[in-house]
């Protein structure tokens, strides 16, 4: 569920609408290889005092806006992700849900691998998302 514009504004976050991002890079890490993104993203902007925890990456791996933000207030804090984290993890681990029910590898019968054909990137297997 996406937070409404009023709630975002209350925490210093502006919503610039949906956009396509290729991945997510966690800030403060030496490994700058973006994690894959398979879900819709929101283009958020952050006011002063809002910390970026993760950034979207474009197709070349360059930053393309905040993906996760944190705002501290008093003894509390709020963290918000600009994409559906749980759905993205499910897509990475289980394949594209739009391919369910199809035999994509041309070998009968239909198997789990059918949802992964064209989905798994061999160059990223050494570092699972």
């Amino acid at each position: 569920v996406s937070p409404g514009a009023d709630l975002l504004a209350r925490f210093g976050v502006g919503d610039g609408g949906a956009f396509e991002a290729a991945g997510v890079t966690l800030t403060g890490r030496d490994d700058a290889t973006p994690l894959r993104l398979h879900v819709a993203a929101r283009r958020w902007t952050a006011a002063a005092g809002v910390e970026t925890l993760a950034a979207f990456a474009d197709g070349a791996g360059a930053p393309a806006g905040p993906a996760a933000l944190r705002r501290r207030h008093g003894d509390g804090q709020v963290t918000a992700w600009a994409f559906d984290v749980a759905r993205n993890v499910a897509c990475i681990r289980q394949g594209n849900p739009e391919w369910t029910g199809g035999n994509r590898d041309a070998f009968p019968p239909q198997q789990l691998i059918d949802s992964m054909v064209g989905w798994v990137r061999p160059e990223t297997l050494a570092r699972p998302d």
Side-chain angles (χ1 to χ4, degrees), residues 49-65:
V50 178
E51 177 186 4
T52 298
L53 303 174
F56 288 119
D58 64 13

Side-chain angles (χ1 to χ4, degrees), residues 19-24 36-43 55-59 64:
F19 79 108
E20 293 291 324
V24 176
R36 290 181 291 165
L37 187 67
H38 296 294
V39 296
R42 303 295 300 175
R43 187 177 303 277
F56 288 119
D58 64 13

Side-chain angles (χ1 to χ4, degrees), residues 79-127:
T79 303
W81 293 83
F83 65 99
D84 187 337
V85 176
R87 183 171 176 82
N88 194 60
V89 169
C91 286
I92 288 170
R93 299 200 180 278
Q94 298 174 9
N96 188 338
E98 295 175 10
W99 295 344
T100 301
N103 187 351
R104 298 182 41 82
D105 67 358
F107 296 106
Q110 180 181 340
Q111 301 173 10
L112 175 62
I113 193 65
D114 289 317
S115 66
M116 302 300 270
V117 172
W119 195 258
V120 175
R121 296 186 329 204
E123 70 274 11
T124 65
L125 289 178
R127 185 195 54 82

